[in-house]
Amino acid sequence: MTLPTATYRIQFRNGMTFDRACDLVPYLKTLGISHLYTSPIFTAVSGSTHGYDVTDANEIDPTLGGRAGFERLTESLAAAGMGLILDIVPNHMAASPENGWWRDVLAFGRQSAYASHFDIDWSEPLTLPQLGQDFDRALAGGELRIALDETHGNFALGYFETLLPLNPTSYGALANRLDDPVATRMAEAAAETSGEDFNRTMRDILFEGGDRAILQQKLEEVSADLDFLRNLLEGQHWRLTHWKDAARHLSYRRFFEVTGLVGTRVEDPAVFEDVHRLVIELVRHGKVQGLRIDHVDGLAEPKAYLDRLREAVGPDTYIVVEKILGPGEVLPENWPVAGTTGYEFIAALSELFIESSGLRILDGAYRSLAGETGNLEESRQIAKRLMVERNFAGETDRLVSIAAGIFPELKRDEIATALCELLIAFPVYRTYGDGGPLSWQDAAVLAGTASQVLPKLDDRSACDHVLKLLEGKIEGDAAHAFRIRFQQLSGPVMAKATEDTLFYRYNRLLAANEVGGEPGKAPGGMEEFHRRMAERARLQPHGLSASATHDTKRGEDARARLYALSEGADVFAQAVERWRDMNRPWLQELADGVAPEPNVEWMLYQALAGIWPEDFDRGRTEELRERLADYAVKAVREAKLRGDWTEQNAAYEEAVTTYATALVAPENDAFLEDFERVLQPFIAAGYLNSLSQTLLKLTAPGIPDIYQGAEGFDFSLVDPDNRRPVDHERLAAWLDEAGPIAKLQAAALKQRIVAIGLQLRQRYVDLFARGDYLPLKVTGNRRDHVLAFARVHKSDFAIVAAPRLMFGWLDPGVLFAGPEFWEDTAIAVPSPLHGLKADLVTGKTIEPGGSISVAALLGSQPVGLITPL
């Protein structure tokens, strides 16, 4: 396998096409990227902004440039000696009539050739939660009509722009009522054809027949007969329901809470082949060198899937999985993959850059104003219970039904209680038992969960029985189905409760509220970072090391700046108290309380600090206000405390956005002046944090992944803010600039460090792919302010020195502390590394010896990267 030395993630759509990506290849080559790493490229629903709502897994999206554009891109990459990694989506597809497979299922139900492609419970009609109100009201309100779908050549039920194909067996009743020759011929043909022949035959009749306009008019007239329309819809393979009913009842497995994404059954070999036909072709023809597997935890049997994929694409294809590892969790060792997409690397960075004593100060200040939301563990339990009992009530109830069928002697409510408590107490996203004995890791997870749950229950019987199912001690199809579905549910419960609820409720330090992070954990400092990197070198040295992705909660440099709040905790806490007083006039008293509440105020000041532009112009605040307001709305909906995506609280949201936009209103002079003044040392420390974490990502175990534009500074918020277009022309111009680092602006300096690190990795492939991770001892008065380690492979080595916890020690506009700060601090160098060396950042020579003076190394530059001469 040819391993990437570095990947560069780009988000297609939103203006990014294959031809635009072709234009980036020379720049990325110069930067030191070995592999372009793309968001999904297969055809998605019209207007998709992300591509995960795939409608055709075997077609490259024409809106991106189609197959021809893709070929131009792969040819450009090959000519530059670069590879391509594709993000593929095996777990779900769009539940949309634009998806030909789904449309066929809507028309033919269980008889569809694609009925088994989707995870559907066929014990009832397929539920379609698309109505804005209940069915009877929608029908009475004239929102439903019978129409011609001229694109596909069939009769359909029209609901605004959506056209749902009718069951061909209902064409006869429709033709009888219409008294139209075209409708009659369609009904006669419908009884004799199916599948692709059906669509082709219907289109031929429709376009070779009579006047379609007259037929459409007749359909409108028939649609006015509500009794006829109701009876016609009773004969369909699907039932329209209110979209709010999906949480309580849905007959298909969805992706998280997204009813527009239906789960696929790639555990079925035939479905696997259909879903991966084009992907496998692209790999075998040398167009694609790597695959990123989206949401691997959503699959029924991840290991079996990965084994099948590995067999299909061969041993030389680089594969990583999107997998969030919980505390102490490691990737299953028998998965045939290189590693994960790197969320755990972000968590390791937080150990290093969050200051423990300052975090305690923040904790005290935050708890004094946040009330019950200031208790992390209580908030976590409340959020998970909300997911189990409300947001995923239908999925939970389905599990209860399966268990009740297996154990008829148990009371249903006792099974439900046991199941809910197990899901709430589950400490990781999921286990992976699909038959046979559990792995040691999964067995430990279940044992630990049971030890928490059983003492809470008055009757242990139901819980004991459920645990036996999860342990695989009971055989049979129903037991297997229960086990798989529990595993497919525990992940979404954890993700939605933690990432999309808790992380918007518990706002002590937003920098710690990151995918895969543990915001309540005390940071372990350099010792814990070294431990994690040594483990990473041992367990997944070729996984991606990310500092930002399209799914992270904020840009990597916004997070780096917010880390510094833990160092200047008393400054920030006092400032928030002052700012709240300054902006008190913008608070509103609503029927359900003051808005925004103190917890949200605290969150908004941090969010604003993270995106605050160094060159703030009071005359040009419109974009900043809009970004902050959009974030505020998303944050309070995700928090689900006074409204959410389902039950939006318009008055509350308006009050929060009014407050947020007032913060950066040009006329808010006193606040803006004070905010800008207070923020200066945080900005300076944040810049240095950014440069340090960048160097660490480039040199620590793992393969560095650069998110689009983040080779410069990225102060974005959560999506869609982090998917804004990137000014690659400006970035390319920076890279072309020559000159010493002292003359570079901060963002260009970050890019220069990226280029230096990536080019080093290309020169010394084995050093970074196979080299040991060696923590280096730091001595002296400032030893806690610099992390040092070496990568060593045979006679090759690189020494890394990265400052940390530098809040208050930096002069304005200077990205390093002078020699007087570092005093006697030194890095101990093992004897094999004693020779003459050079720092790649500045080019200065490092004399031979057993130590490196940090004052000499970092007294005039931000970070150090040293290699032998």
Side-chain angles (χ1 to χ4, degrees), residues 426-650:
F426 225 65
V428 295
Y429 282 73
R430 66 168 284 176
T431 53
Y432 297 97
D434 55 3
L438 292 172
S439 69
W440 66 266
Q441 187 167 227
D442 287 351
V445 165
L446 286 179
T449 305
S451 69
Q452 289 188 50
V453 171
L454 289 172
K456 298 179 182 179
L457 302 174
D458 295 331
D459 186 343
R460 298 175 44 143
S461 178
C463 190
D464 286 335
H465 282 72
V466 170
L467 286 168
K468 288 178 180 178
L469 287 173
L470 298 178
E471 291 164 352
K473 294 179 178 178
I474 298 175
E475 298 181 351
D477 292 343
H480 182 262
F482 181 92
R483 194 180 191 187
I484 295 296
R485 292 194 180 281
F486 181 94
Q487 293 170 156
Q488 288 180 299
L489 176 58
S490 63
V493 167
M494 175 70 87
K496 297 302 293 184
T498 304
E499 300 160 35
D500 294 338
T501 304
L502 180 65
F503 284 0
Y504 293 94
R505 290 183 175 186
Y506 181 77
N507 298 313
R508 180 178 68 175
L509 179 60
L510 294 185
N513 290 12
E514 196 50 84
V515 180
E518 278 293 308
K521 182 181 180 295
M526 290 190 289
E527 182 178 350
E528 177 62 14
F529 182 82
H530 283 317
R531 186 196 69 77
R532 292 196 184 199
M533 291 305 102
E535 180 181 77
R536 187 168 180 79
R538 179 171 57 88
L539 296 179
Q540 54 160 324
H542 306 141
L544 293 183
S545 295
S547 45
T549 76
H550 57 288
D551 283 330
T552 44
K553 299 302 181 187
R554 49 194 33 83
E556 61 185 57
D557 302 297
R559 190 185 319 116
R561 181 186 292 175
L562 293 180
Y563 285 144
L565 298 185
S566 68
E567 301 177 68
D570 51 353
V571 174
F572 180 73
Q574 292 168 17
V576 169
E577 185 176 349
R578 188 169 62 251
W579 297 335
R580 290 182 61 218
D581 188 60
M582 288 179 173
N583 292 302
R584 196 172 302 278
W586 300 106
L587 297 176
Q588 297 183 39
E589 191 65 46
L590 303 178
D592 60 348
V594 67
E597 58 270 47
N599 183 38
V600 174
E601 290 182 273
W602 177 276
M603 177 268 292
L604 288 173
Y605 290 121
Q606 285 192 69
L608 181 58
I611 65 173
W612 186 263
E614 186 180 23
D615 57 348
F616 177 71
D617 181 351
R618 296 188 193 183
R620 302 176 62 186
T621 63
E622 183 176 348
E623 180 185 4
L624 188 62
R625 280 183 288 162
E626 183 177 332
R627 291 174 61 206
L628 187 63
D630 289 346
Y631 171 78
V633 170
K634 178 165 185 171
V636 297
R637 288 182 183 176
E638 295 284 21
K640 306 173 185 67
L641 291 170
R642 296 173 67 176
D644 56 24
W645 297 100
T646 302
E647 300 291 343
Q648 296 172 14
N649 186 335

Side-chain angles (χ1 to χ4, degrees), residues 13-28:
R13 299 172 171 81
N14 306 313
M16 179 60 72
T17 63
F18 294 134
D19 286 339
R20 285 200 61 193
C22 285
D23 294 339
L24 298 182
V25 170
Y27 162 69
L28 297 178

Side-chain angles (χ1 to χ4, degrees), residues 301-417:
E301 301 169 350
K303 182 184 182 303
Y305 166 82
L306 293 169
D307 285 341
R308 185 173 289 123
L309 181 67
R310 174 59 72 191
E311 182 179 3
V313 300
D316 295 332
T317 303
Y318 178 74
I319 302 176
V320 289
V321 293
E322 184 194 26
K323 162 66 186 167
I324 300 168
L325 297 171
E329 185 182 12
V330 297
L331 200 64
E333 60 185 12
N334 58 356
W335 285 10
V337 300
T340 73
T341 55
Y343 293 126
E344 67 280 354
F345 185 78
I346 301 175
L349 291 172
S350 70
E351 299 281 358
L352 188 64
F353 291 110
I354 296 176
E355 204 277 323
S356 56
S357 62
L359 188 62
R360 288 193 293 271
I361 294 172
L362 282 180
D363 188 70
Y366 178 63
R367 283 174 180 262
S368 69
L369 59 80
E372 61 183 19
T373 55
N375 186 309
L376 176 66
E377 287 311 312
E378 286 186 11
S379 293
R380 189 195 307 272
Q381 296 301 307
I382 291 170
K384 292 191 78 173
R385 189 171 298 279
L386 177 68
M387 292 301 109
V388 173
E389 295 182 352
R390 191 194 73 171
N391 295 49
F392 293 101
E395 288 86 346
T396 303
D397 188 65
R398 186 174 184 184
L399 279 174
V400 172
S401 295
I402 296 173
I406 299 171
F407 307 117
E409 71 277 14
L410 297 177
K411 294 180 180 179
R412 186 180 177 92
D413 60 343
E414 292 177 348
I415 295 174
T417 298

